[in-house]
Amino acid sequence: MLEIRNLHVRVDRQEILKGVDLSVKPGEVHAVMGPNGSGKSTLAQVLAGHPAYTVTEGKVLFEGRNLLEMPPEARAREGVFLAFQYPVEIPGVANAYFLKAGLNEIRAHRGLPELDAIEFLQLLRERMRFVEMDQAMANRPVNEGFSGGEKKRNEILQMAILEPRLAILDETDSGLDIDALRVVANGINTMRHPERAMLLVTHYQRVLNYVTPDYVHVLLGGRIALSGGKGLALELEAKGYDWVKDEGPVPVAAEGGS
Amino acid sequence: MLQVAREKEQFLSAYEALQRNVLPPEPAWLRETRQRALTRFEDLHFPTTRDEDWKYTSVAPIVETPFQPILDGAPDLPEADAARLTRVRALAPDARGWTQLVIVDGRVAPNLSSLPVRRDGLVVAGLSEAVQTQEAAVESHLARYARYETNAFTAINTALIRDGAVVYVPDGYIVEEPIHVVFIATSREAPTVVHPRTLVITGTGSQAVVIETYVSAQDAHVFSNAVTELVLGDGSVLSHYRLMLEGPSAYHVATTQVHQACDSAYTSYSIAMGARLARNDLNVLLDGEGADCTLNGLYVATGTQHVDHHTSIDHAVPHGTSRQLYKGVLDGRGRAVFNGMIRVRPGAQKSDAHQINRNLLLSEQAIVDTKPQLEILADDVRCTHGAAIGQLDDDMLFYARSRGMGEQTARGLLTYGFAAELIERIAIQTLRERLAQLLMSALRTGWEAKVRP
């Protein structure tokens, strides 16, 4: 589904990603771990098409098509979703309206009829219950005045409504109390599907107590330094990241998943 | 000087024609007011960009056009304008409950209006009728506030007063339903000028909502030179909407003069989305202790539109409060001016004034000039002001696009979000929804014009 080959990315003339290789198949959940500044968020943002990043080398194929050529909205319509590490506040635009506008453009792209206000509201209510969000938040401006946890839930809500084929979750677990973490993890688990892949970008092993990945990758210095199964996360938790450096780069998916 | 004389000639001959052929016999006080205003007009000159107050707005396109006065009565509406009128009424689907005063080409159209209203002392009437019936309030207040002594546009409006709207709310009376005054300019062969006039008087402890809506036929080459006087009695509450929704060939110059007595509360919603060139002056005199005003403004200029707002708050006595929020959206080669003057006179202690102007530029050719001004001559006051000019936020745009929205949709949504702060202050739901629609469509038109080669 997703093929990343030798990806090099710069931002402000500084090279952040220095040759990332990663292959994700439908139904798989990959955790991408690494210390601060290793390039995790850059990888997530580049896949979603953030204009601040420049790809200098390499390829990203999504279902065989060149993802890097597509503007962000085309990626979303093809089924790529990024849960933002720092969800953006949009004053004056109701959460529900924002989501409906996105969903209907995605549906139009897929040849599906637009949802009218009533149909959308039904869907929204149902999915809000699923992420245990107060229904009143539908009418509040997007993310404005939301707590950190509410913002992250709102990202999961958007994922649940847009039903992407590839979901990239950028530190969606950081800064959450245990209740919110459980809600987010439950959202991720419920969304697991043989046709859907997920990329969990995370700093901490904690979320992996609730979501079992098929593969764990360690991003260090702009490269995947180590890949393994779910056991690798525990090892990282116990030993930190420093020991990985000594191991040197390891080919992608060298070890089997669960 | 020759040039100046020629510019005024058309207005002077309009005055003669009005006197000779059109006006019914009128009370002496009005005749004298006219003459005084005319005399002042003869001495004044139309402003140029050398005048500080008009630095960024040239009225040359107005004074150089031979606008014809309309001397006949209210015409039957051409079909296109009737349709336009229907759309104006659709501004407020609940308008059935509203009092409507419709003024077509400067004359009250009785068959389109729910007039006159006279109950328990409340009067909603056409100005010419109110003059004939000798409403005492009209004589005491008309032309007493808007200063024709210093402003050529106000002077000629006053000299050529013919019709308009009068609202008188008696002491203690609460008008439940909005009073909607609709000014319609139709399309005629030659460019035309009208001088709309509105007078609203609220008695002690009374309350009212007055909406002035200005519209014109899409191709009407019209100059509306409007003057509105609002006189708030002690403790009265007035919400005043001024909606400029004219077509792309319209010119609009307006002065709204507000006089506030003790403990009165004035809220203004000034929405400018139409006209090729619009200048909107809003002057508030806080003349009684405890008076409070809130001025909300939203302007949109796309294509080659030019819109200029000047506000002036005069804190003349202690304990006055003023709040201002003006927001502008500029696209294409649109140009906007905001000039906000807050004056606190000596002795006007405990004055509390706050002013914000924010502008969103959607294109590189759009221009905005914003100038907040404070003139504070008392020492125990609180006055703050601020102005900002910005563009759409890249992170917001990316966020919206990452959810599947195309760039145009995303820009539209974010722009709406910028303006929503003001739209959402509008308490009348039907009006709020209609203005939200109009805003979206004004922006869309601008974008369509921009993406065309």
Side-chain angles (χ1 to χ4, degrees), chain A residues 73 77 82 97 105 155 158, chain B residues 399 401 403-404 406 409 413:
Chain A
E73 60 269 31
R77 292 169 192 169
L82 170 66
Y97 194 87
E105 290 207 30
E155 294 294 289
Q158 297 185 14
Chain B
Y399 191 57
R401 292 174 73 190
R403 298 310 182 238
T409 309
L413 203 64

Side-chain angles (χ1 to χ4, degrees), chain A residues 39-40 60 62 91 97 117 120 124 157 193 253 255:
Chain A
K40 301 188 304 287
V60 177
F62 179 65
Y97 194 87
F120 177 76
L124 183 66
L157 170 69
H193 186 277
E255 298 170 44

Side-chain angles (χ1 to χ4, degrees), chain A residues 166-183:
Chain A
L166 170 68
I168 306 154
L169 296 106
D170 188 4
E171 309 247 5
T172 305
D173 55 317
S174 337
L176 296 184
D177 65 31
I178 197 68
D179 292 332
L181 182 66
R182 236 182 250 129
V183 169

Side-chain angles (χ1 to χ4, degrees), chain B residues 299-359:
Chain B
Y299 46 92
V300 178
T302 66
T304 56
Q305 281 181 301
H306 181 114
V307 56
D308 179 344
H309 284 87
H310 271 56
T311 66
S312 161
I313 315 270
D314 188 346
H315 286 261
V317 296
H319 295 287
T321 307
S322 64
R323 293 284 176 271
Q324 295 182 69
L325 175 64
Y326 271 72
K327 282 190 154 187
V329 179
L330 290 302
D331 201 357
R333 295 178 180 280
R335 182 155 187 187
V337 181
F338 177 81
N339 187 302
M341 166 63 95
I342 297 170
R343 192 173 280 125
V344 181
R345 293 199 209 177
Q349 305 296 10
K350 305 288 180 193
S351 289
D352 181 350
H354 181 61
Q355 178 194 80
I356 290 284
N357 172 232
R358 289 186 205 287
N359 297 279

Side-chain angles (χ1 to χ4, degrees), chain A residues 45 49-50 73 76-77 81-82 84 90-93 97-98 102 105 143 155 158, chain B residues 395-396 398-407 409 413-414 416-418 420 424:
Chain A
Q45 300 256 27
H50 195 291
E73 60 269 31
R77 292 169 192 169
F81 176 87
L82 170 66
F84 281 51
I90 304 186
V93 178
Y97 194 87
F98 180 77
E105 290 207 30
N143 290 323
E155 294 294 289
Q158 297 185 14
Chain B
D395 287 329
M396 290 189 202
F398 174 58
Y399 191 57
R401 292 174 73 190
S402 79
R403 298 310 182 238
M405 275 172 247
E407 196 174 349
T409 309
L413 203 64
L414 298 184
Y416 176 78
F418 172 82
E424 281 164 10

